C-alpha cells in the first residue's frame, strides 16, 4: 500500500461491499405463498406466539436453542418455551393448554436415527397438525453445515406461520484487519475466509457460487471474481489503477464497479466476460462515482457521487441514462451521504448520512422520498440488507470499537453480531439453502 496515493486511500474509505463466504452453494427458492397457514391473521407489527417443545436426543438442546434464537431474531414471532425441560412430550398435545399460554402454533422437532429431523407445526386454533416435513442434518454434528441446516428448519417454520421465509440460513461477510471474515446470522462460527487474502468490499453473486471484491495492491486496487467451490479467480479488466466497490445485478448477469485514477466512474461488464472492455455508466468529469447497488429488477443503479462537491446518493438507469439526485432532503446543514444499499423488496435505499458530525444509518423511500433515521449512538456506516428486506447489518462504534450490528427496521431493535477485534463492511449473503 505504500504507493497508493492519498486520494486513493480517501476513496477506499468509502468503499462498501456486498458479500463473500464459504463454499456453501445456495439454490433458488420456491415462490413464497402470501398469508398464513395456521388459524390466524398475520399483520405487520404483531408477533404470533409459537410454543417450541423440548427436543429429545443428544443434540436436542442445541437444536431447540438454535431454532428458538433464530425465530426471536427474525422479529416476526414470539417464542414460548417451557420454564423447565421436562422432556419431549408423548401422545396427543393439550391444545387448550397451549392456547392459554398465548401460542397460536406449537413446534415439535423429533430427531431421527438417520440423523434427520422430523418437524411438525401444530395449529392450536384448529387443534391439529398443520405441516410436517423431514429435514436432513448433514454431519458432522454441530459443524457449520449442520448448524446451517438447523437454521433452515427455523426459516421454514417462520414461513409456515407468517408466509415469509426466514433469514437464519445466511451468513455475513466482513473485513477485519484487512482480511475477509464470515459469521453466521446468529453470531456463531466467526472465522476468516480462507484463500482470499487482503480485500475490501466483497459482493455476493446472487446464486452464492462466486463473489467479487477489491484486492489491495501496491499500486492501487483491482476487482477480482472468486469461485467459492474451486478457489479459481479472475481479475476484471478495467484499465485503471483504482478499481473497487463491485456489485452484481440481481439476475447475476452483470457486474458493476467503480474505476478510475483522478476520479472514478461506474462501469458494468457481463459476468464471465472479464477480459472484455467494460461499459461506462457515469461521466463524472473528475468526481468520485462509486458504491453501485442495483434495484431488484436490475434496471436502475443507486450510487455515491461527489459531483456537487460533497457525497450524495444518485440514481441512474443501468445504461447510464436518466441520472438524478436521490438524497435531496437535508437532515443536516452539512449533508454528506454514502454507502447506498437498495432493499431486496425495492422500497428503500439504505445509506449512511452525516448528522452533527457523526454518520448515522437512514433509509429513503423510493415512493415518496421520505427519510427515516435509525441510529443515534456512535458512528454508524456500511448498511447491507438481509434477503427479507427487513433487517440490515451495519458497522457501529457504539461500544467503543467498530463492530457489526443488526437492525430490524420495523421495530428499531438492534443486536450486536460481532465481538473482539474491530469489524466493518458487513455484507449479508443470499439465502444459502433451498428447502422445497
Amino acid at each position: 500500500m505504500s504507493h497508493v496515493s492519498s486520494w486513493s486511500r480517501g476513496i477506499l474509505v468509502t468503499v462498501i461491499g456486498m458479500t463473500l463466504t464459504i463454499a456453501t452453494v445456495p439454490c433458488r427458492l420456491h415462490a413464497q405463498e402470501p398469508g398464513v397457514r395456521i388459524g390466524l391473521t398475520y399483520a405487520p407489527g404483531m408477533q404470533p406466539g409459537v410454543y417450541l417443545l423440548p427436543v429429545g436426543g443428544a443434540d436436542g438442546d442445541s437444536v431447540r436453542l438454535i431454532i428458538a434464537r433464530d425465530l426471536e431474531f427474525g422479529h416476526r414471532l414470539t417464542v414460548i418455551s417451557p420454564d423447565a425441560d421436562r422432556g419431549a412430550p408423548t401422545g396427543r398435545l393439550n391444545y387448550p393448554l397451549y392456547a392459554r399460554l398465548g401460542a397460536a402454533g406449537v413446534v415439535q422437532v423429533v430427531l431421527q436415527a438417520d440423523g434427520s429431523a422430523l418437524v411438525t407445526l401444530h395449529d392450536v386454533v384448529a387443534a391439529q397438525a398443520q405441516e410436517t416435513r423431514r429435514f436432513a442434518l448433514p454431519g458432522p454434528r454441530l459443524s457449520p453445515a449442520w448448524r446451517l441446516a438447523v437454521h433452515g428448519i427455523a426459516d421454514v417454520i417462520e414461513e409456515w406461520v407468517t408466509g415469509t421465509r426466514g433469514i437464519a440460513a445466511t451468513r455475513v461477510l466482513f473485513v477485519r484487519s484487512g482480511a475477509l471474515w464470515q459469521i453466521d446470522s446468529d453470531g456463531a462460527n466467526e472465522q476468516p475466509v480462507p484463500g482470499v487474502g487482503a480485500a475490501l468490499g466483497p459482493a455476493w453473486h446472487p446464486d452464492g457460487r462466486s463473489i467479487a471484491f477489491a484486492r489491495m495492491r501496491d499500486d492501487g486496487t483491482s476487482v477480482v471474481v472468486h469461485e467459492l467451490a474451486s478457489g479459481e479467480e479472475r481479475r476484471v479488466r478495467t484499465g485503471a489503477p483504482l478499481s473497487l466497490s463491485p456489485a452484481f445485478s440481481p439476475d447475476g448477469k452483470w457486474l458493476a464497479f467503480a474505476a478510475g485514477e483522478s476520479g472514478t466512474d461506474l462501469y458494468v461488464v457481463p459476468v464471465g466476460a472479464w477480459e472484455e472492455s467494460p461499459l461506462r455508466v457515469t461521466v463524472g468529469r473528475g468526481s468520485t462515482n462509486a458504491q453501485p447497488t442495483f434495484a431488484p429488477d436490475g434496471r436502475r443503479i443507486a450510487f455515491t457521487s461527489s459531483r456537487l462537491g460533497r457525497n450524495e446518493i444518485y440514481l441512474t438507469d443501468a445504461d447510464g441514462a436518466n441520472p438524478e439526485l436521490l438524497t435531496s432532503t437535508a437532515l443536516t446543514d452539512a449533508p454528506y451521504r454514502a454507502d447506498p444499499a437498495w432493499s431486496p423488496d425495492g422500497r428503500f435505499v439504505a445509506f449512511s448520512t452525516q448528522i452533527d458530525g457523526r454518520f448515522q444509518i437512514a433509509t429513503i423511500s423510493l415512493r415518496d422520498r421520505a427519510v427515516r433515521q435509525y441510529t443515534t449512538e456512535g458512528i454508524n456506516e456500511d448498511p447491507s440488507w438481509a434477503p427479507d428486506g427487513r433487517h440490515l447489518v451495519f458497522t457501529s462504534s457504539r461500544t467503543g470499537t467498530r463492530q457489526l450490528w443488526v437492525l430490524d427496521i420495523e421495530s428499531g431493535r438492534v443486536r450486536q453480531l460481532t465481538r473482539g477485534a474491530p469489524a466493518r463492511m458487513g455484507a449479508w449473503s443470499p439465502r444459502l439453502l433451498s428447502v422445497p
Side-chain angles (χ1 to χ4, degrees):
M1 284 293 292
S2 58
H3 300 291
V4 179
S5 68
S6 60
W7 180 89
S8 299
R9 286 193 290 269
I11 296 300
L12 293 175
V13 169
T14 63
V15 176
I16 64 169
M18 285 187 59
T19 341
L20 149 93
T21 185
I22 44 74
T24 301
V25 178
C27 303
R28 290 185 178 178
L29 294 172
H30 293 271
Q32 297 177 357
E33 297 180 9
V36 181
R37 299 187 180 183
I38 64 175
L40 57 90
T41 301
Y42 180 78
M46 70 169 292
Q47 292 187 202
V50 174
Y51 195 99
L52 185 58
L53 293 169
V55 181
D59 301 320
D61 288 345
S62 296
V63 169
R64 179 174 159 216
L65 176 62
I66 293 171
I67 293 175
R69 187 165 51 194
D70 289 344
L71 297 180
E72 290 171 351
F73 287 166
H75 299 118
R76 291 183 173 88
L77 299 173
T78 298
V79 178
I80 306 169
S81 296
D83 294 333
D85 191 346
R86 301 174 182 173
T90 58
R92 181 174 174 80
L93 299 184
N94 186 345
Y95 292 108
L97 170 62
Y98 298 123
R100 289 194 296 272
L101 293 173
V106 175
V107 174
Q108 188 173 26
V109 180
V110 180
L111 300 181
Q112 307 293 297
D114 62 0
S116 64
L118 186 65
V119 182
T120 301
L121 172 67
H122 297 263
D123 186 331
V124 171
V125 175
Q128 64 182 15
Q130 188 69 29
E131 299 279 358
T132 299
R133 188 172 301 174
R134 186 184 296 270
F135 295 82
L137 296 179
R141 54 187 290 270
L142 305 179
S143 66
W146 183 91
R147 292 187 84 261
L148 188 66
V150 177
H151 289 318
I153 294 174
D155 289 346
V156 171
I157 292 170
E158 187 169 326
E159 184 178 20
W160 282 344
V161 179
T162 70
T164 299
R165 182 157 297 197
I167 54 169
T170 59
R171 292 189 173 113
V172 174
L173 267 290
F174 61 96
V175 174
R176 170 177 282 164
S177 301
L180 287 176
W181 285 61
Q182 63 191 5
I183 191 169
D184 288 1
S185 65
D186 63 352
N189 288 329
E190 185 180 78
Q191 56 188 301
V193 179
V196 173
L200 290 172
W204 291 88
H205 188 280
D207 69 6
R209 294 181 174 88
S210 62
I211 57 92
F213 55 89
R215 172 162 287 158
M216 309 296 292
R217 309 189 320 265
D218 284 344
D219 58 347
T221 61
S222 59
V223 171
V224 175
V225 177
H226 180 94
E227 298 291 334
L228 293 172
S230 66
E232 182 180 2
E233 291 187 349
R234 290 289 186 270
R235 180 174 170 178
V236 179
R237 176 184 177 187
T238 66
L242 187 66
S243 304
L244 57 149
S245 61
F248 287 101
S249 62
D251 63 5
K253 295 181 179 179
W254 294 89
L255 179 72
F257 57 91
E261 185 173 9
S262 58
T264 57
D265 275 301
L266 299 187
Y267 295 82
V268 295
V269 63
V271 168
W274 309 127
E275 295 299 323
E276 293 186 7
S277 296
L279 305 175
R280 190 170 184 171
V281 176
T282 64
V283 181
R285 297 181 176 88
S287 62
T288 299
N289 299 271
Q291 303 178 332
T293 174
F294 281 91
D297 63 6
R299 296 179 179 179
R300 304 212 79 192
I301 296 173
F303 63 100
T304 303
S305 178
S306 67
R307 61 188 63 182
L308 289 179
R310 63 180 187 271
N311 276 9
E312 293 284 0
I313 309 301
Y314 284 75
L315 301 178
T316 181
D317 293 350
D319 62 1
N322 302 313
E324 61 174 308
L325 177 64
L326 176 64
T327 50
S328 57
T329 302
L331 291 177
T332 174
D333 293 334
Y336 183 104
R337 285 72 175 255
D339 306 327
W342 209 312
S343 67
D345 58 16
R347 296 187 300 158
F348 305 105
V349 170
F351 61 100
S352 60
T353 180
Q354 186 172 337
I355 301 174
D356 297 328
R358 291 187 172 188
F359 284 102
Q360 306 296 343
I361 300 299
T363 60
I364 184 168
S365 169
L366 275 300
R367 179 177 60 84
D368 58 11
R369 305 297 171 92
V371 175
R372 180 179 177 185
Q373 179 184 342
Y374 288 94
T375 61
T376 58
E377 299 179 61
I379 298 172
N380 303 274
E381 302 171 282
D382 308 326
S384 174
W385 291 96
D388 65 352
R390 172 168 173 164
H391 294 85
L392 284 165
V393 63
F394 64 100
T395 305
S396 180
S397 67
R398 63 188 61 198
T399 58
T401 62
R402 287 180 173 180
Q403 297 294 340
L404 299 187
W405 292 71
V406 174
L407 164 71
D408 170 22
I409 66 167
E410 291 195 12
S411 67
R413 287 177 289 186
V414 296
R415 62 180 172 92
Q416 189 171 351
L417 186 65
T418 62
R419 288 170 172 80
R424 62 194 181 103
M425 291 185 177
W428 214 311
S429 78
R431 291 181 172 94
L432 295 176
L433 291 176
S434 177
V435 183

